[in-house]
Structure formats: structure tokens, C-alpha cells
């Protein structure tokens, strides 16, 4: 299963590489246009481009919302995170969208994963907003949030980069007693935040969380080979898929289109994107990935090669203080068995739900199944008789 995790984590880079070759080949055969027209078609990116692409994508959402840049300052005085020690004291911002809801709705804060942004939840906002006050953010260094120079040099500093900035955002929004949902790497950050600030989180929902398990015998054996050694050196150099996109220049958008089409249309195991959804998501993904490198550079400090956490959640399961629900797609390349092992050591309620016809992006692959899982996870806050709420028949409890 850990081998599956490794392949899955690198799949985006592999798909990008294939798309790169196809795009380059196509470009080399278009000699009649010459080089300069291609340069003129270079598509720039910036925070403004990201926010505009976000607005176009969220035009698919019917629920009214407010987008804001929440000022989190330059950081708490006692922080050990390097960007907080900036001599310029430049304020940082967290891009935030808040959807209209009923006054008495519980608050659900949604945190995206690696190489993603809050817009990835575009298929979920309408359904979730019927039961929750939904707030989604771009983590510091991602999406439309500030992208400070990433100067962290350890796992501890890197975790603090995300945890401390999220806490400053929470203070600025004056939030407490909320449900915290994190996907993939966002699940790792949400877990670490809840371990440090459990008093603010009343329920934790981890969707295909990264960083649960600690080690893999198969990965260790692979690293002893010459291929494994080379790939590990590439990993330790902090090479990211985003660097390929930036390096492609004018062919970057086409490469992203090939990736999103392959992942969510031709190779999807769930509900395919419509043509409009695919076009708007591709535009959004390109701008979020092609912008200045920042949060993406956390990769090698949080994970070793094979997406194995350097500070795994499993090692701190006994310290868990917040009731937790894990949600996995049936075909998720993240291993739900790691969550089963963690549950054995937890002293708080913990359940594991699996959603059919869905992979790692369960909320895109099977939106209705994902919504049912979230509603069931939060039945204590949504139902007048939660103890008699049965598991929806299309979901499976692990």
C-alpha cells in the first residue's frame, strides 16, 4: 500500500512530464508560426490573475459568497518562523471565501491540499452551505494568499509556517468552536493545528490525509537501488511539479489542460467534469501553480521520498484531543489502514468512512457521496437525534 502511495504522490509529476513531451513535440512541428508568436502567447500569472480565475470558477456556485484578503500581520512576536522575522514587517494575507448560510449554522472551515487551492471544492460549496457556514481558505504561500519567500529549513519551522499563519487567520476572523476539514496535505496541517490548539476545534474531518504513516520497507529497499538513489536526490533538491509548469512558459496552460482532462475526465473513476468545469478548473489550476514558488517548497521538509511523513501523525495519535472522522475514496492512493492503526491509540471518538466511485479527490469524483460522509460525520451538530442516525447505505465504515 505504501508503494501505491508513492506512485500516487508522484502521478501528477508523471502526467506533467508526459504532457510536457506532447506539448513540446507539438510546438516543434509548428514551424510556420516561428518562435516569437509562441513567446507572445506567454500567459503570465499573479495574485490578481489567480483571484480572477477563482471568480470565474466560483461562478459555477449558486450560493452567494464574500471573498476577502484577511490580514494576518507580519507574524506573532515570539514566532520562530523565518518569514515572520522579516525586517520589513510586511503584512501577509490569507485569501478567504465565506458562503451565505443560516444564522445558527455550525462553522465549517475547509483547507486544501498540496498543489491545490480552495477553489478545488467548487463542486461542494452549494451542498455544504445548506447545512454549514462554509469558510474556505488558501493556505499561506498557496492560491490567492500571500506568497512570502520560503526560507524554512526544518520540519519544525515548516509546520509552524502553516500552523501559526492559520492561527493568526483564526484570530483575525474571531473564530472558535468550528469544524475543521483538511484534504491531503491540508489534513496533515489541520491535524497538527488541532494538536496545538484543540480548544478551537470541535470536530476534525480528515479527507485522504497525508502524513499518517511513518515508514515503508518497500520504499527503503527501493532507495537502496540506483534508481531510488537518483529519485531521492531529485526529491531532496526540492524539485516540484510547479517548476515544470513555469519552465514550459507558453505551453504551460496546455500541459495543465492535459493533466486535468486526464485526471478528471478520461481517467476519472467517478463523475466526469463538464466541458465548462474542465475549462474553468484548468485556467484556475494553471494560475495557482505558475505563480511565485512559496508554500510548495515545504515538500521535502514535511515528507521524505515516497510521501512518508518525517513527523507522522501516527506517532501522536495518543495525544489526540478532538473527535475525528477520516474520509477516503475507495480508490484513494492514501492508505486508510494508517488511520485504522492511529485509531487504536486515540482516546477520543474516531470513525473512518469510505466513499465509492472516488479516488484521492473524493469531493470532485463523487460529490454527493462526499457530502453524505461530511453530514454523517457532523451529525452531532446537525441532527436532533444523532445517536439514531444510520450510516448512508452507499458509504462504508472501516
Amino acid at each position: 500500500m505504501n508503494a501505491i502511495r508513492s506512485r500516487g504522490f508522484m502521478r501528477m509529476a508523471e502526467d506533467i512530464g508526459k504532457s510536457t513531451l506532447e506539448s513540446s513535440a507539438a510546438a516543434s512541428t509548428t514551424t510556420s508560426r516561428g518562435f516569437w508568436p509562441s513567446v507572445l502567447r506567454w500567459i503570465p500569472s499573479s495574485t490578481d490573475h489567480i483571484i480572477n480565475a477563482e471568480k470565474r470558477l466560483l461562478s459555477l456556485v449558486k450560493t452567494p459568497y464574500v471573498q476577502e484578503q484577511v490580514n494576518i500581520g507580519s507574524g506573532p512576536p515570539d514566532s520562530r518562523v523565518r518569514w515572520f522575522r522579516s525586517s520589513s514587517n510586511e503584512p501577509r494575507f490569507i485569501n478567504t471565501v465565506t458562503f451565505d448560510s443560516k444564522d445558527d449554522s455550525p462553522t465549517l472551515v475547509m483547507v486544501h491540499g498540496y498543489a491545490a487551492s480552495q477553489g478545488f471544492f467548487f463542486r461542494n460549496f452549494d451542498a455544504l452551505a445548506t447545512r454549514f457556514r462554509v469558510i474556505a481558505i488558501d493556505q499561506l504561500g498557496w492560491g490567492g494568499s500571500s506568497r512570502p519567500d520560503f526560507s524554512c529549513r526544518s520540519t519544525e519551522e515548516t509546520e509552524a509556517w502553516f500552523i501559526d499563519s492559520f492561527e493568526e487567520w483564526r484570530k483575525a476572523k474571531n473564530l472558535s468552536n468550528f469544524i475543521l476539514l483538511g484534504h491531503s496535505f491540508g489534513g496533515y496541517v489541520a491535524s497538527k493545528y488541532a494538536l496545538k490548539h484543540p480548544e478551537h476545534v470541535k470536530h476534525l474531518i480528515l479527507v485522504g490525509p497525508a502524513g499518517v504513516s511513518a515508514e515503508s520497507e518497500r520504499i527503503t529497499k527501493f532507495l537502496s537501488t540506483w534508481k531510488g538513489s537518483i529519485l531521492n536526490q531529485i526529491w531532496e533538491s526540492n524539485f516540484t511539479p510547479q517548476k515544470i509548469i513555469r519552465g514550459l512558459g507558453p505551453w504551460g496552460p496546455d500541459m495543465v489542460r492535459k493533466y486535468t482532462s486526464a485526471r478528471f475526465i478520461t481517467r476519472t473513476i467517478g463523475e466526469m467534469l463538464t466541458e465548462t468545469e474542465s475549462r474553468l478548473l484548468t485556467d484556475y489550476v494553471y494560475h495557482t501553480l505558475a505563480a511565485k514558488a512559496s508554500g510548495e517548497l515545504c515538500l521535502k521538509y514535511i515528507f521524505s521520498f515516497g510521501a512518508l511523513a518525517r513527523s507522522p501523525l501516527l506517532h501522536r495519535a495518543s495525544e489526540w484531543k478532538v473527535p475525528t472522522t477520516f474520509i477516503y475514496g475507495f480508490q484513494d492512493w492514501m492508505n486508510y489502514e494508517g488511520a485504522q492503526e492511529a485509531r487504536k491509540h486515540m482516546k477520543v471518538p474516531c470513525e473512518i468512512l469510505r466513499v465509492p466511485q472516488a479516488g484521492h479527490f473524493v469531493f470532485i469524483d463523487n460529490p454527493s457521496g462526499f457530502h453524505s460522509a461530511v453530514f454523517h460525520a457532523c451529525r452531532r451538530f446537525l441532527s436532533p437525534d444523532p445517536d439514531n442516525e444510520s450510516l448512508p447505505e452507499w458509504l462504508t465504515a472501516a
Side-chain angles (χ1 to χ4, degrees):
M1 295 297 291
N2 283 308
I4 294 175
R5 180 190 297 113
S6 176
R7 290 196 298 271
F9 198 77
M10 300 301 290
R11 188 174 298 149
M12 179 179 180
E14 292 171 356
D15 288 344
I16 286 173
K18 293 176 182 177
S19 300
T20 300
L21 293 175
E22 293 172 5
S23 299
S24 298
S28 64
T29 58
T30 316
T31 55
S32 59
R33 294 186 180 182
F35 175 74
W36 288 108
S38 295
V39 173
L40 294 176
R41 292 196 300 275
W42 191 294
I43 299 178
S45 190
S46 65
T47 299
D48 287 342
H49 284 93
I50 293 170
I51 297 301
N52 288 332
E54 174 188 286
K55 290 179 180 177
R56 291 190 290 270
L57 179 62
L58 295 188
S59 69
L60 300 173
V61 179
K62 297 178 181 179
T63 307
Y65 70 92
V66 174
Q67 182 271 333
E68 60 181 326
Q69 294 282 9
V70 177
N71 189 334
I72 61 171
S74 58
D78 59 345
S79 176
R80 298 172 61 185
V81 181
R82 292 171 187 262
W83 71 266
F84 284 158
R85 297 203 299 265
S86 170
S87 58
S88 66
N89 290 321
E90 178 185 354
R92 313 298 183 181
F93 299 87
I94 296 293
N95 185 41
T96 306
V97 290
T98 303
F99 292 85
D100 285 3
S101 63
K102 297 178 181 178
D103 291 339
D104 59 347
S105 298
T107 298
L108 173 67
V109 177
M110 306 181 73
V111 183
H112 63 83
Y114 186 87
S117 301
Q118 53 84 4
F120 272 66
F121 296 115
F122 74 97
R123 278 186 157 185
N124 316 117
F125 290 137
D126 280 330
L128 296 179
T130 64
R131 311 290 296 277
F132 301 100
R133 177 195 179 202
V134 177
I135 305 176
I137 68 163
D138 289 335
Q139 297 191 69
L140 182 69
W142 295 100
S145 292
S146 296
R147 293 181 176 237
D149 292 337
F150 189 86
S151 54
C152 298
R153 292 296 179 267
S154 69
T155 300
E156 180 184 11
E157 278 190 348
T158 303
E159 288 184 353
W161 161 288
F162 295 105
I163 295 170
D164 290 358
S165 59
F166 184 85
E167 172 61 4
E168 292 305 300
W169 171 84
R170 183 203 64 79
K171 291 177 182 177
K173 292 290 290 180
N174 193 28
L175 292 176
S176 193
N177 199 35
F178 55 88
I179 301 159
L180 181 57
L181 181 152
H183 171 243
S184 196
F185 172 67
Y188 179 89
V189 173
S191 298
K192 294 286 184 163
Y193 176 83
L195 282 165
K196 186 174 182 179
H197 301 284
E199 67 277 11
H200 300 306
V201 183
K202 64 180 179 180
H203 197 85
L204 190 60
I205 301 177
L206 305 178
V207 184
V212 177
S213 300
E215 54 190 38
S216 166
E217 183 179 347
R218 297 184 67 177
I219 292 294
T220 301
K221 289 182 178 179
F222 178 69
L223 290 176
S224 66
T225 67
W226 68 269
K227 290 182 180 179
S229 177
I230 291 174
L231 288 175
N232 188 55
Q233 288 182 34
I234 293 174
W235 182 280
E236 292 297 331
S237 72
N238 227 356
F239 180 84
T240 67
Q242 293 90 325
K243 292 180 180 179
I244 299 177
I245 296 171
R246 297 184 192 103
L248 275 175
W251 300 287
D254 186 56
M255 179 271 294
V256 175
R257 179 187 61 78
K258 292 178 185 295
Y259 167 73
T260 54
S261 295
R263 172 58 184 85
F264 299 112
I265 298 179
T266 59
R267 290 199 337 230
T268 186
I269 52 181
E271 181 182 323
M272 290 194 304
L273 294 180
T274 66
E275 181 179 346
T276 299
E277 287 176 327
S278 178
R279 174 173 52 81
L280 294 177
L281 180 61
T282 294
D283 178 53
Y284 176 70
V285 171
Y286 170 74
H287 285 296
T288 60
L289 299 185
K292 174 188 173 181
S294 181
E296 74 188 66
L297 299 176
C298 72
L299 194 58
K300 79 167 188 176
Y301 299 106
I302 298 294
F303 303 105
S304 60
F305 179 78
L308 299 174
R310 299 187 188 276
S311 176
L313 300 175
L314 180 59
H315 289 177
R316 299 192 63 186
S318 63
E319 303 173 41
W320 232 253
K321 294 181 175 64
V322 178
T324 300
T325 301
F326 291 86
I327 298 176
Y328 292 88
F330 268 35
Q331 285 77 39
D332 196 330
W333 52 269
M334 288 294 181
N335 183 3
Y336 75 92
E337 294 176 358
Q340 289 180 312
E341 182 63 27
R343 181 171 57 185
K344 296 177 183 178
H345 304 281
M346 290 183 181
K347 301 179 179 68
V348 295
C350 175
E351 60 185 350
I352 303 168
L353 306 178
R354 300 183 69 203
V355 180
Q357 296 182 321
H360 190 51
F361 290 95
V362 54
F363 45 87
I364 294 179
D365 294 332
N366 187 348
S368 59
F370 172 72
H371 303 150
S372 293
V374 173
F375 294 150
H376 185 74
C378 299
R379 58 193 179 277
R380 289 192 298 128
F381 318 112
L382 302 175
S383 172
D385 190 14
D387 293 336
N388 290 321
E389 286 279 331
S390 59
L391 182 70
E393 61 181 12
W394 50 87
L395 300 179
T396 300

